[in-house]
């Protein structure tokens, strides 16, 4: 196959002025319907001929009105893509032979970085159409993936040194995420390219790429555990006064951006802001995007436990199996007021909760389990005796409950079926005072009489009692 024939899909994609078909042509993974596409493209030229072959094909295939500078831009970009494919196929062959080395993955990353940098150069110079910034996004996203793979290969092959100190026996001699950190700097250039566009025609402005590039930065910074850099991106966007209205951006860009803003607020313990952002992401997310909805719920469920003491319904958990596996036992214990079950579920899920950075927030939701346990005591006390002339609808629940009753329930709740936890009435009184202070229970404590006087209406806010 001649290179001119191999470039026909690109020419057709370019003629559509649609970034997606062009991005599909520059994809490092062949489409399922044409698994040999990369090999065919690679065989159509060679290292010493690629520039001339691409130039000849584009000069003859692109519209006459296309400027010389734009044609030259695509020549360099497609030549870079051919070189990247060359490294990808060689790495794939080595992997099939179990001979993949860190050098080959670094070569793939470097070649793809060269492709991305050329894209940035020609868009920055104004030689390529404004819509190509979205093609650049897909190219940059693949750079992120290649950087991760290169770092993984480097980590496998890097030497280690023994430390003379007491804290660590072995120390790394190479940075763990060297290539990903390098890629992050490339993404910063793309973000600056978008946010700094001064084109007065908003319809052809690169500012439409701001949120998708910001989302790429978020993914990268979260992988690098550089949360502060993610905050800087949010601050930068908030400071922009000339971006198009947020609601005009594609829904996929808005959902991802609001998700990360919500997670960042969650990590800063600004739960009200986190809930608002996550709810916006949830409401905008496509109904069939189950995986994305599960990611949102991973932070929205703990957030609403804190902000509204809201327990997710069984129906919601059943709709999202991953969320049910993550929170099911914990939520069930909270609903039942089972403190022992809550502690066990929290301990069992601790590794995953810590990894997702929700452990400390979930730990605070123990108050809701305690509220539900105390509510059970309140309900078990029954009703005041009816007075003459009263009917069933006039009955009111007993509002004076001995502290010893709450103490007995607490001992049972923390010990499950065991013998009970050693806790005295003074400690229980302190817990009750805390619950009243936090607004999870309404009433006051009468120490002289050893009772809790709860409100006759709304004793436990949010529970209907």
């Amino acid at each position: 196959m001649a290179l001119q024939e191999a470039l026909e899909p690109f020419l057709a994609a370019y003629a559509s002025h649609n970034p997606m078909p062009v991005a599909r042509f520059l994809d490092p993974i062949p489409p399922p319907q044409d698994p040999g596409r990369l090999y065919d493209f690679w065989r159509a030229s060679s290292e010493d001929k690629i520039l001339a072959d691409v130039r000849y094909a584009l000069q003859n295939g692109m519209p006459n009105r296309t400027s010389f500078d734009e044609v030259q831009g695509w020549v360099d970009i497609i030549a870079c893509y051919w070189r990247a494919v060359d490294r990808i196929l060689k790495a794939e062959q080595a992997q099939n032979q179990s001979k993949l080395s860190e050098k080959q993955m670094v070569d793939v990353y470097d070649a793809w970085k060269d492709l991305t940098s050329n894209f940035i150069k020609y868009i920055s110079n104004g030689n390529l159409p404004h819509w190509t910034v979205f093609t650049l996004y897909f190219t940059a996203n693949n750079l992120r993936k290649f950087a991760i793979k290169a770092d993984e290969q480097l980590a496998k092959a890097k030497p280690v040194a023994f430390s003379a100190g007491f804290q660590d026996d072995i120390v790394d001699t190479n940075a763990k995420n060297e290539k990903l950190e390098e890629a992050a700097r490339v993404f910063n250039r793309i973000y600056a390219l978008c946010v700094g566009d001064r084109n007065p025609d908003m319809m052809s402005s690169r500012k439409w790429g701001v949120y998708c590039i910001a989302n790429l930065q978020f993914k990268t910074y979260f992988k690098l555990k550089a949360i502060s850099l993610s905050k800087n991106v949010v601050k930068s966007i908030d400071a922009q006064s000339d971006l198009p209205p947020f609601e005009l951006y594609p829904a996929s860009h808005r959902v991802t951006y609001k998700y990360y803003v919500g997670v960042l607020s969650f990590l800063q313990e600004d739960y009200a802001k986190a809930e608002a952002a996550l709810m916006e992401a949830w409401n905008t997310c496509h109904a069939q995007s189950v995986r994305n909805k599960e990611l949102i719920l991973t932070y929205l469920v703990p957030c609403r436990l804190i902000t509204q003491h809201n327990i997710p319904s069984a129906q919601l958990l059943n709709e999202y199996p991953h969320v049910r596996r993550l929170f099911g036992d914990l939520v069930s214990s909270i609903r039942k007021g089972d403190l022992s079950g809550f502690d066990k579920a929290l301990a069992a899920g601790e590794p995953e909760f810590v990894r997702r950075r929700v452990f400390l927030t979930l730990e605070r939701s123990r108050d809701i389990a305690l509220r539900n346990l105390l509510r059970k005591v309140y309900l078990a006390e029954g009703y005041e005796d009816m007075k003459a002339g009263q009917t069933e609808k006039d009955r009111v629940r007993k509002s004076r409950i001995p502290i010893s009753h709450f103490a007995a329930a607490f001992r049972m709740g923390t010990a499950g079926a065991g013998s009970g936890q050693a806790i005295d009435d003074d400690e229980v009184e302190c817990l009750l005072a805390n619950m009243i202070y936090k607004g999870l229970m309404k009433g006051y404590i009468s120490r002289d009489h050893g009772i809790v006087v709860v409100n006759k209406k709304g004793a436990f806010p949010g529970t209907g009692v």
Side-chain angles (χ1 to χ4, degrees):
M1 176 189 288
L3 188 64
Q4 192 163 3
E5 183 182 351
L7 289 179
E8 286 178 2
F10 166 77
L11 294 171
Y14 174 82
S16 72
H17 290 182
N18 187 328
M20 283 297 295
V22 179
R24 281 194 288 268
F25 175 81
L26 296 173
D27 200 320
I29 301 173
Q33 69 273 17
D34 187 11
R37 187 182 75 82
L38 292 187
Y39 279 97
D40 292 339
F41 176 70
W42 175 69
R43 291 192 188 103
S45 189
S46 59
E47 180 68 46
D48 59 333
K49 295 180 180 179
I50 185 61
L51 274 172
D53 287 348
V54 176
R55 184 176 292 109
Y56 177 81
L58 296 191
Q59 286 175 343
N60 288 282
M62 296 189 80
N64 291 332
R65 64 180 182 275
T66 309
S67 70
F68 173 82
D69 289 337
E70 182 178 350
V71 172
Q72 185 57 47
W74 287 116
V75 168
D76 285 348
I77 287 169
I78 293 173
C80 287
Y81 176 62
W82 185 93
R83 296 187 188 101
V85 168
D86 174 68
R87 276 55 165 189
I88 289 167
L89 295 178
K90 288 175 180 176
E92 186 179 279
Q93 184 179 21
Q95 187 170 32
N96 291 338
Q97 298 173 354
S98 300
K99 295 180 180 178
L100 182 64
S101 69
E102 74 279 4
K103 181 181 183 303
Q104 286 176 295
M105 284 313 305
V106 170
D107 285 347
V108 169
Y109 164 78
D110 286 340
W112 203 265
K113 182 188 171 189
D114 191 37
L115 166 63
T116 309
S117 296
N118 269 276
F119 237 130
I120 295 171
K121 179 177 75 173
Y122 286 107
I123 292 177
S124 179
N125 291 343
N127 294 338
L128 299 184
H130 69 278
W131 52 263
T132 52
V133 73
F134 293 105
T135 304
L136 173 59
Y137 161 76
F138 290 102
T139 304
N141 193 36
N142 284 315
L143 179 67
R144 180 180 67 89
K145 295 174 183 177
F146 287 132
I148 292 171
K149 289 181 180 178
D151 284 332
E152 288 173 352
Q153 282 299 119
L154 287 169
K156 289 178 182 178
K158 67 184 178 183
V160 296
F162 287 91
S163 171
F166 294 98
Q167 293 185 346
D168 298 302
D169 291 324
I170 297 178
V171 294
D172 296 333
T173 58
N174 294 324
K176 291 183 179 179
N177 296 294
E178 174 189 345
K179 298 304 176 184
L180 190 59
E181 289 174 358
E182 194 176 90
R185 292 191 284 273
V186 176
F187 305 153
N188 290 343
R189 291 169 56 199
I190 302 174
Y191 175 77
L193 182 67
C194 292
V195 81
D197 189 13
R198 294 294 176 261
N199 187 342
D201 181 6
M202 195 53 67
M203 293 304 295
S204 58
S205 173
R206 292 192 297 265
K207 290 184 184 294
W208 291 104
V210 164
Y211 286 104
C212 66
I213 301 302
N215 294 337
L216 181 60
Q217 290 178 295
F218 288 145
K219 291 178 184 178
T220 306
Y221 292 146
F222 269 70
K223 178 74 175 177
L224 292 171
K225 296 181 173 59
I227 305 301
S228 61
L229 296 179
S230 294
K231 296 176 190 174
N232 291 341
V233 175
V234 176
K235 289 178 182 177
S236 171
I237 290 178
D238 287 345
Q240 303 302 315
S241 59
D242 57 350
L243 291 179
F246 184 67
E247 61 272 12
L248 296 183
Y249 283 83
S252 59
H253 299 187
R254 289 184 281 128
V255 169
T256 306
Y257 182 76
K258 284 296 181 179
Y259 164 75
Y260 278 108
V261 169
V263 173
L264 286 169
S265 299
F266 182 93
L267 297 178
Q268 295 175 79
E269 299 186 4
D270 187 348
Y271 295 118
K273 184 177 179 180
E275 182 184 5
L278 291 169
M279 280 302 300
E280 187 172 347
W282 173 265
N283 291 329
T284 311
C285 191
H286 193 281
Q288 302 302 316
S289 299
V290 175
R291 176 57 180 155
N292 288 344
K293 282 185 168 283
E294 287 183 331
L295 286 172
I296 295 168
L297 285 173
T298 300
Y299 295 93
L300 187 56
V301 166
C303 192
R304 287 174 69 87
L305 282 171
I306 297 299
T307 59
Q308 300 188 29
H309 310 131
N310 184 282
I311 305 171
S313 66
Q315 179 183 352
L316 178 69
L317 294 179
N318 287 333
E319 287 180 21
Y320 301 98
H322 178 76
V323 180
R324 185 180 67 242
R325 286 193 297 272
L326 194 62
F327 299 124
D329 291 343
L330 203 69
V331 167
S332 176
S333 298
I334 292 173
R335 184 175 286 112
K336 292 185 294 185
D338 179 2
L339 298 180
S340 177
F342 177 92
D343 293 339
K344 290 176 182 176
L346 189 67
E350 182 174 353
E352 185 67 9
F353 296 150
V354 170
R355 188 176 75 83
R356 295 180 179 274
R357 306 180 180 91
V358 298
F359 178 80
L360 294 177
T361 306
L362 290 173
E363 194 174 37
R364 295 178 189 177
S365 66
R366 193 176 192 271
D367 283 344
I368 309 171
L370 177 56
R371 177 201 67 181
N372 290 346
L373 175 64
L374 301 179
R375 176 178 177 271
K376 284 184 175 182
V377 176
Y378 173 69
L379 294 176
E381 291 294 313
Y383 294 88
E384 300 281 3
D385 294 334
M386 283 193 297
K387 298 177 182 178
Q390 287 185 325
T391 61
E392 284 293 327
K393 68 177 182 180
D394 299 318
R395 298 187 71 178
V396 293
R397 291 191 174 276
K398 291 181 179 179
S399 58
R400 295 171 174 268
I401 305 170
I403 292 175
S404 59
H405 290 194
F406 287 116
F410 185 81
R411 292 184 188 109
M412 293 175 63
T414 53
S419 58
Q421 178 176 324
I423 182 170
D424 59 34
D425 286 358
D426 285 342
E427 290 178 275
V428 173
E429 185 180 318
C430 184
L431 286 169
L432 291 167
N434 260 329
M435 297 299 284
I436 293 170
Y437 173 77
K438 293 175 181 178
L440 292 167
M441 178 179 178
K442 289 189 176 180
Y444 64 91
I445 298 171
S446 175
R447 300 195 67 187
D448 293 341
H449 297 89
I451 62 171
V452 179
V453 181
V454 297
N455 286 15
K456 292 184 178 181
K457 292 185 178 179
F460 294 89
T463 66
V465 176

